[in-house]
Amino acid sequence: MSYRSKDIPPSRGHGHAGRGRGHRGRGSRGSRGSSRGGYKSGGHRGSTRGGYRGKSRGGTRGRYSSRGGYSSRGGYKSQEYYGYYDYYGDYYGQYYGYYGEESKSTHKGSFYKKNQFNYAKDRKHSHKQDDPETKTFVHNKGKVEETLYKTGKGKTLKIMMVAEKPSIAKTIAGILSGGTAREGKGIIKSCSVWEYEGDFKGYKAKFHITSVAGHMYSRDFPEKVDTWSCDPKSLFEEETIQTPTSKALCKHIQTVGKDIDFLLLWLDCDREGENICFEVIENVKTSLPFPKENHIFRAKFSSLANKDIKAAYEEIIHMPNEYESKSVEARQIIDLKIGIAFSVFQTLRLREKYPMIENVSRVISYGPCQFPTLGFCIERAERIKKFVPEPYWYLNATIKSDSAVTPNLSLKWKRKKLFDQTSVEIIQTEISSCTTAWCNRISEYTESQNKPLGLNTVKLLKVASSGFGLSSHVTMRIAEHLYLSGFITYPRTESTAYSSNFNFNEVLEAHKSHPDWGYYASGLLEEGHEKPRAGVDAGDHPPITPVRCADQSQLQDLDWKIYQFITQNFLATISKPAKYKVVKAEFIIGPEFFELSGKQMVSSGFLEITPWLSSSQDVELPDIQQGVEYEINSIEIKEGKTTSPGYLTESDLISCMEANEIGTDASIPTHIKNIIDRGYVKVNTKKGRSLVPTNLGMALGRAYCEIDSELILPKVRSYIEKSCDAIAKGKVTFKSVVDHVLKTFKQKFEFYSEQFALVDKIIKSDFVDKYGEERKKDKGNKNQAVKDYKEIGFPQEMRSYEHCKLFEEVKTITVEKTAHLHCNICKNKGTMKKIKPKNKRDTSIHLRCSQCKYEFSCFKDCNKFEILKNGCENCNSSLVRVNYPVKDSPFPMSANQHTGCLFCDEVYKEIVEYPEASENSSSQPENKKAEDKPADAGGIIISKKKKR
């Protein structure tokens, strides 16, 4: 007998911490389901094969829980969920099971029966289907020719072009006019109007090119609605309006667009750009001839290179995409109403009772993207908090070899490790009498390391955070600046695959004369580049690609780092894979198996241009022969402990958001910045931009989890994002999605407000009671931050951000003042300073001690010389990082950079010629070997231009 999910009676499960397996609920014993799992009405106890399987209304088979349990913390009602149990029984239990033991499920069942998102029902929600044949957003060529003939016959056409930024308008005007465009002033001084005469599809025309400055309108409530004094619940029903961000800008567009014949839109080619297209149309629609849609064109381009702009102009045939614009509008309305309602309600309630909370965050905000982002950080913090180190033991055997270089070889135990000390001791005792290890088998094979995919936005954000210590917000500012300057293609893209007609040779030709990687680009042109890996084509823009060639002297330091990475990553994508020769030897000692492995690079491939992507270092294996016995030196028991996971880094958080579809490539930096600005997490730049939840963030996260976990778990937001994607593709209507989401969140808001006493209790215990202690500890750090910020002097455009948050993002810059290269001659009494060479043609780095005047030169023709804040373990002097072009590199294996102590590192001692110290100096440089520490992103950077 089979059971449909609607036949499962409602029941309630008890909370259980740990892996998310629900306890047996209270209720009578039900019939057995299938041979794979027993069925109990209280808890659906399932077997290890996957638990009870049933059928939902739609006829599709759904597995309720892969772990055999339903919701680990609350009640449920099966006839309302249809197969959504798998998420709640397994994922939810793992994700927030940490609070399971502390929670009480007395009130949860009634809430979830009524207010939970009904995902199966949503999938067959009666959304109106649009006819794709009537919404292609591409002009009919015949109608275009007819419209041009009727409009342009016997006159000069007046055509208006609108770009998203003034710099883009200037670039487009210069390219299309051949440099003859004249600059005129509009109502807004920053938005110039460029004019020139030319040709539009065979008709004489006069062009007027101007720009907006981002969105022309913002979404808000009408003035009559006072969001801080009205009932927050009423905001779900209130109408929203679009208010101009600048009335002068609207007037400017209206003035330039007066009596135009055609409108050509050059806004950024993403959904936000499509939405701005319709904002521009709203201001000029009265000036356009009828039918208006035949007189509006949308340019499609991915870079500001001459060829791309000219190609977009010649092939302009599209209309603005109304579906994509509506998806942006839907997200704006949903986020505005939900965010304002929850934020106003909890801010007023908490500030009234706990005034000190305003010192941490002026607004206790909630956002449907913001809190799932915070939830990832809290989940990791809870894992760290509850982590208990577990000891383990393993065997380490050493044997004698015939090699003079490595006379003793360490063998790895094939069991790896055991968590029972007694078992390891018994095994050691059993094999301790063995005197030889027999080489049972030797295997050799070639291993390939694949080249990287094309670069998308998310990958760029992750690399900039982990590699350069930059926040995602700052990274996007740099990438946008490079794009607007014409150095790279559009930086907001989800694609990792290049189109079949992408011209790789054209990019290589532009870079073959570059001083750093020109030789590599030339080699790819001569030998023929490889085909890139098959990635994902999201249909928006190609992967981020270099356009113009630039050297280090043309860009600021951080801009150069991002540009350099983008270019080298591009070259790697069309290079050959790297190949290694791997040798593995298996040894038998008594009944136990051990192994020894070696790995050597055979062909560097793409690693020549991106050496930091190497998966492992070369390990040379001495001559080992199969079937030979080797004398055992020792068999020892080693002990270790499991280590707790670290806090989420910004790079890790971006990965979590991408995997769970929280935000888009354009909005992810904003969501991360929001939780930092609100004081919900702090940034620890000393540990790779780790995001540590504050007491306030932890308290709010726990409160939302206790009352309604869907408000903080990523599943609901992911569903909203998918719904907005469906709007953008024309599969569902704007109204159906917005109405359904707001109706559900209104119910959630009602329940949240009813249970706010629980929030009050948690905020008091987890935040207010700890506030004094936390405040005292942070006071000194905050004052120091203010002092450092004033000393640095940031660019004017960056000062508009909240000071203390900006400082967190650029904290690596402030530590540069503490990096010192101590002199090893006078025993660290003096500091080595960079001095100008006597000969202007000398391209070496010249250093002199401020105390003993010891002087020497080094690193001729290097690209960059950096003094880092990391100190040498032997002499405490700062480490030095030196960068060379790969073809001129003096470092082992032609590495393009090396980090170490200038006086202790063996590699530097081979390169640098240290002159004898003068009589006033104490002694010669000490030649002690120092272990290299990982280089930090911070440090004093001394740029050295290569001799031209």
Side-chain angles (χ1 to χ4, degrees), residues 313-561:
Y313 177 73
E314 293 295 333
E315 300 167 7
I316 192 165
I317 194 67
H318 291 84
M319 295 182 283
N321 192 316
E322 183 183 1
Y323 291 156
E324 292 188 358
S325 176
K326 284 292 185 183
S327 72
V328 173
E329 192 175 337
R331 189 181 287 109
Q332 289 174 348
I333 294 173
I334 289 170
D335 290 350
L336 174 70
K337 291 190 173 184
I338 296 173
I340 294 293
F342 277 87
S343 300
V344 167
F345 174 75
Q346 65 188 17
T347 299
L348 294 177
R349 291 285 295 268
L350 291 174
R351 283 201 316 199
E352 181 181 1
K353 192 162 187 179
Y354 308 113
M356 78 287 293
I357 205 169
E358 195 170 357
N359 295 329
V360 179
S361 183
R362 190 172 60 87
V363 177
I364 313 303
S365 65
Y366 171 83
C369 269
Q370 179 181 326
F371 262 60
T373 303
L374 173 63
F376 293 123
C377 302
I378 294 176
E379 185 269 341
R380 179 61 64 86
E382 283 295 319
R383 285 177 57 188
I384 295 171
K385 181 180 177 182
K386 295 184 179 294
F387 177 81
V388 177
E390 189 176 359
Y392 60 85
W393 294 264
Y394 62 95
L395 292 178
N396 182 65
T398 58
I399 61 173
K400 292 182 179 180
S401 73
D402 298 331
S403 173
V405 180
T406 54
N408 297 314
L409 300 176
S410 181
L411 307 182
K412 291 183 179 179
W413 194 22
K414 273 208 165 184
R415 294 179 188 257
K416 298 191 183 299
K417 59 188 177 186
L418 296 178
F419 291 90
D420 181 30
Q421 183 179 9
T422 304
S423 298
V424 179
E425 289 175 347
I426 291 173
I427 294 173
Q428 186 206 29
T429 302
E430 186 177 359
I431 65 175
S432 59
S433 58
C434 298
T435 58
T436 59
W438 181 55
C439 182
N440 176 46
R441 180 175 57 193
I442 295 178
S443 58
E444 293 186 15
Y445 58 91
T446 301
E447 182 179 273
S448 294
Q449 182 182 345
N450 225 340
K451 56 193 174 186
L453 290 166
L455 184 65
N456 62 8
T457 306
V458 170
K459 180 64 179 296
L460 174 63
L461 297 177
K462 290 164 63 176
V463 170
S465 176
S466 59
F468 305 135
L470 298 176
S471 72
S472 55
H473 187 72
V474 170
T475 301
M476 286 311 301
R477 285 172 58 89
I478 294 172
E480 287 174 1
H481 179 257
L482 290 172
Y483 163 69
L484 294 175
S485 302
F487 291 110
I488 64 172
T489 57
Y490 193 63
R492 289 193 173 98
T493 176
E494 298 177 5
S495 298
T496 57
Y498 293 95
S499 62
S500 57
N501 60 351
F502 188 90
N503 194 337
F504 293 98
N505 286 344
E506 186 175 6
V507 181
L508 293 174
E509 284 285 350
H511 287 264
K512 66 180 183 180
S513 60
H514 195 277
D516 290 341
W517 52 74
Y519 78 98
Y520 194 87
S522 299
L524 291 176
L525 283 170
E526 293 171 3
E527 301 173 9
H529 64 79
E530 294 288 311
K531 185 178 179 180
R533 289 171 58 190
V536 175
D537 186 0
D540 50 356
H541 290 277
I544 306 172
T545 308
V547 179
R548 283 174 52 196
C549 183
D551 57 37
Q552 193 170 356
S553 63
Q554 296 175 258
L555 300 172
Q556 297 293 330
D557 181 59
L558 294 180
D559 293 35
W560 167 252
K561 287 182 178 180

Side-chain angles (χ1 to χ4, degrees), residues 794-824:
F794 293 105
Q796 187 64 35
E797 62 271 19
M798 298 181 69
R799 293 177 185 164
S800 59
Y801 297 120
E802 188 176 349
H803 146 252
C804 59
K805 307 309 172 188
L806 171 64
F807 173 70
E808 288 177 342
E809 293 181 346
V810 296
K811 195 170 182 180
T812 52
I813 300 177
T814 66
V815 299
E816 294 177 359
K817 294 178 177 293
T818 64
H820 297 292
L821 183 60
H822 298 299
C823 176
N824 208 21

Side-chain angles (χ1 to χ4, degrees), residues 82-298:
Y82 303 107
Y84 187 49
Y85 300 103
D86 179 54
Y87 169 70
Y88 265 81
D90 187 20
Y91 179 81
Y92 171 51
Q94 291 185 47
Y95 196 87
Y96 275 102
Y98 305 103
Y99 297 121
E101 292 177 339
E102 303 168 9
S103 65
K104 295 180 180 180
S105 56
T106 55
H107 61 277
K108 301 217 172 33
S110 60
F111 167 69
Y112 285 128
K113 291 176 188 177
K114 181 180 179 182
N115 297 328
Q116 213 167 25
F117 248 72
N118 193 333
Y119 287 90
K121 185 176 179 181
D122 293 340
R123 282 195 292 271
K124 52 182 183 179
H125 198 284
S126 57
H127 295 304
K128 178 183 176 182
Q129 298 295 326
D130 293 310
D131 184 0
E133 293 184 2
T134 61
K135 296 288 185 179
T136 56
F137 303 110
V138 177
H139 285 289
N140 180 283
K141 290 186 178 180
K143 286 186 178 180
V144 170
E145 292 176 359
E146 181 182 349
T147 302
L148 281 166
Y149 178 77
K150 290 180 179 179
T151 309
K153 184 179 180 181
K155 74 167 190 176
T156 300
L157 296 173
K158 182 180 180 181
I159 296 178
M160 178 185 182
M161 296 187 185
V162 182
E164 191 159 323
K165 295 178 177 66
S167 59
I168 299 178
K170 180 180 179 181
T171 301
I172 293 172
I175 293 172
L176 297 182
S177 69
T180 62
R182 302 175 299 276
E183 182 179 9
K185 296 298 181 182
I187 293 177
I188 296 185
K189 293 182 180 180
S190 60
C191 298
S192 299
V193 182
W194 299 84
E195 298 179 356
Y196 72 96
E197 291 76 31
D199 175 86
F200 179 62
K201 296 187 179 295
Y203 290 83
K204 188 178 180 181
K206 183 175 182 179
F207 295 89
H208 303 263
I209 306 178
T210 188
S211 70
V212 292
H215 277 282
M216 297 181 67
Y217 296 92
S218 61
R219 180 70 56 176
D220 205 348
F221 292 104
E223 289 185 6
K224 65 178 182 179
V225 179
D226 187 351
T227 55
W228 288 98
S229 60
C230 70
D231 180 8
K233 186 174 71 172
S234 67
L235 296 176
F236 287 96
E237 308 295 337
E238 287 287 351
E239 293 295 324
T240 62
I241 60 172
Q242 286 188 311
T243 58
T245 56
S246 169
K247 292 182 179 180
L249 179 60
C250 294
K251 185 68 175 176
H252 170 77
I253 295 296
Q254 293 166 9
T255 303
V256 179
K258 188 176 181 180
D259 299 328
I260 60 173
D261 295 306
F262 288 94
L263 174 64
L264 275 58
L265 297 162
W266 291 82
L267 287 307
D268 289 349
C269 295
D270 55 15
R271 291 180 186 175
E272 297 290 337
E274 298 299 326
N275 188 248
I276 301 173
C277 283
F278 284 91
E279 294 176 353
V280 173
I281 293 171
E282 183 67 23
N283 283 274
V284 299
K285 62 183 180 181
T286 57
S287 299
L288 288 167
F290 184 84
K292 303 182 189 308
E293 59 270 15
N294 291 348
H295 295 260
I296 301 173
F297 291 84
R298 175 70 161 107

